[in-house]
Amino acid sequence: MEKIIDKIEKKETGGDIRSGLLEKIADLHGTPQGAYNIRENGKAAARQNTDEITIETKEDKPGINIIIKSGTKNKSVHIPVIITKTGITEMVYNDFIIGDNCDVLIVAGCGIHNSGDEASAHDGVHHLEVGKNSKVRYIEKHYGEGGGSGERIMNPEMTAHVGENSTLDIESVQIGGIDSTNRKTVITADEGAEVVIAERIMSDGHQNVVSDTEIVLNGRDSKARINSRSVAKGESTQLFYPRLIGNTDCFGHVQCDSIIMDNAKIRSIPEICANSVDARLIHEAAIGKIAGDQILKLMTLGLTAEEAEEKILSGLLK
């Protein structure tokens, strides 16, 4: 299979870094099926359209428009971003226009390899306009690596409007290596719409994470679920602020579970706001260390203490 990095401007020593980042943030081992747009070091590097999905470069600011025709079923679009140089900072605006009666997968995400002494940063501002009776699965993974002293910074921002009887299912993962991230999400849901967010975050060292999520349930019989899981190690800090606003007969559930280790600090502030007597909203939050009996139980199965700890953490973030 033709490697996607062959479509990107290659340097003699850069291929392994590029392919490694693409694999971690988008599970790409070769050229993806369907539409895709690869952005590298501040500019477009590879693109493919299909009959159902069109990707256009914005004329007024950096970024792209992704237009998915009504009736598109079982199709995907990949739009990963990679940065392999130190000192690159960018803000990109991507708009998704998704028609009625669609069933599509969107794979986004950003990977930064910074081996220098200057900060490298990517701020992605995404807007999703989802039509009626559609199902959208959106996967976004963030990952940083590199031995330099320069920071790896990502500040993703998403707004979305989910049309009648449509579903927006978001998987948001920060795999590791990001020094600073400020994540902001605002989603509105129409009648019969459903929004599901599964957030998984790992922080270590002196990394800082802020996650600010708001879902507004405007339509009758709309639903929302936010499931946030995190692990904080070292001296890292995490702040979670998930909010559900119910303006009609609707249902929403927020659950935040965090494991705290070493000298880390975590704040979790779930909020529910009912503006209708028919709104049913629930929130739960828990922060704690790994229970000793969990470690011991796994050690009786032959694992070392370190292996048992890793097993517990990977299970939480799965």
Side-chain angles (χ1 to χ4, degrees):
M1 179 182 288
E2 181 186 13
K3 296 292 184 182
I4 203 165
I5 57 172
D6 291 338
K7 288 182 170 289
I8 299 174
E9 180 185 357
K10 288 182 62 177
K11 292 185 178 180
E12 186 174 341
T13 59
D16 289 342
I17 292 173
R18 293 178 177 87
S19 60
L21 289 176
L22 289 169
E23 180 179 347
K24 286 183 172 68
I25 66 171
D27 295 321
L28 289 178
H29 302 274
T31 301
Q33 298 295 318
Y36 61 81
N37 185 88
I38 313 299
R39 184 177 180 88
E40 182 184 19
N41 293 326
K43 58 185 179 181
R47 178 180 297 173
Q48 176 171 285
N49 292 329
T50 66
D51 292 339
E52 302 88 357
I53 302 174
T54 302
I55 302 172
E56 303 172 342
T57 301
K58 285 185 177 295
E59 296 182 357
D60 56 340
K61 51 191 171 183
I64 53 177
N65 297 319
I66 302 96
I67 300 143
I68 301 176
K69 291 182 180 179
S70 293
T72 299
K73 302 282 188 179
N74 302 316
K75 300 297 181 179
S76 65
V77 55
H78 290 70
I79 58 160
V81 174
I82 57 175
I83 294 176
T84 60
K85 296 178 180 179
T86 191
I88 289 183
T89 60
E90 62 174 356
M91 178 172 282
V92 177
Y93 301 84
N94 297 331
D95 289 336
F96 299 79
I97 309 300
I98 302 155
D100 300 338
N101 304 301
C102 292
D103 187 346
V104 294
L105 169 67
I106 299 170
V107 181
C110 179
I112 296 177
H113 179 97
N114 190 355
S115 295
D117 57 4
E118 298 180 71
S120 292
H122 174 78
D123 293 354
V125 180
H126 292 184
H127 176 71
L128 280 72
E129 192 69 33
V130 182
K132 299 178 181 180
N133 306 305
S134 288
K135 182 178 180 181
V136 179
R137 172 88 167 135
Y138 180 94
I139 300 175
E140 184 172 75
K141 296 182 180 180
H142 292 160
Y143 171 73
E145 64 179 23
S149 60
E151 288 188 314
R152 297 171 292 273
I153 302 168
M154 295 186 193
N155 295 311
E157 182 175 333
M158 174 190 284
T159 58
H161 170 236
V162 185
E164 292 181 13
N165 301 313
S166 288
T167 300
L168 175 59
D169 187 349
I170 298 172
E171 179 183 348
S172 179
V173 180
Q174 184 163 307
I175 305 168
I178 305 302
D179 295 296
S180 176
T181 185
N182 191 334
R183 313 158 70 88
K184 185 172 180 62
T185 304
V186 178
I187 301 174
T188 59
D190 288 349
E191 181 176 346
E194 182 174 14
V195 179
V196 179
I197 297 179
E199 179 181 57
R200 306 288 182 265
I201 291 178
M202 170 83 78
S203 63
D204 202 349
H206 292 275
Q207 295 167 359
N208 180 60
V209 176
V210 176
S211 179
D212 184 346
T213 301
E214 177 177 286
I215 300 178
V216 183
L217 299 172
N218 287 325
R220 184 179 177 84
D221 295 325
S222 55
K223 304 178 184 67
R225 291 178 176 83
I226 301 173
N227 188 328
S228 178
R229 297 182 180 181
S230 73
V231 175
K233 298 181 178 181
E235 306 285 337
S236 65
T237 62
Q238 298 181 356
L239 169 61
F240 297 96
Y241 189 13
R243 301 182 301 287
L244 288 180
I245 300 172
N247 292 325
T248 184
D249 182 356
C250 60
F251 173 80
H253 182 237
V254 179
Q255 181 171 342
C256 301
D257 295 307
S258 298
I259 288 179
I260 187 169
M261 304 174 67
D262 308 320
N263 296 311
K265 294 180 175 64
I266 302 175
R267 294 181 65 197
S268 186
I269 315 170
E271 178 183 338
I272 51 179
C273 174
N275 297 319
S276 167
V277 296
D278 295 317
R280 291 152 290 145
L281 307 175
I282 304 167
H283 76 69
E284 305 173 64
I287 301 172
K289 64 181 180 180
I290 299 176
D293 58 346
Q294 291 179 293
I295 298 281
L296 289 174
K297 183 176 180 180
L298 290 173
M299 290 178 68
T300 63
L301 300 176
L303 298 179
T304 66
E306 292 77 14
E307 290 171 339
E309 181 180 281
E310 184 60 33
K311 191 77 171 177
I312 293 167
L313 297 181
S314 62
L316 179 75
L317 297 177
K318 196 169 184 180

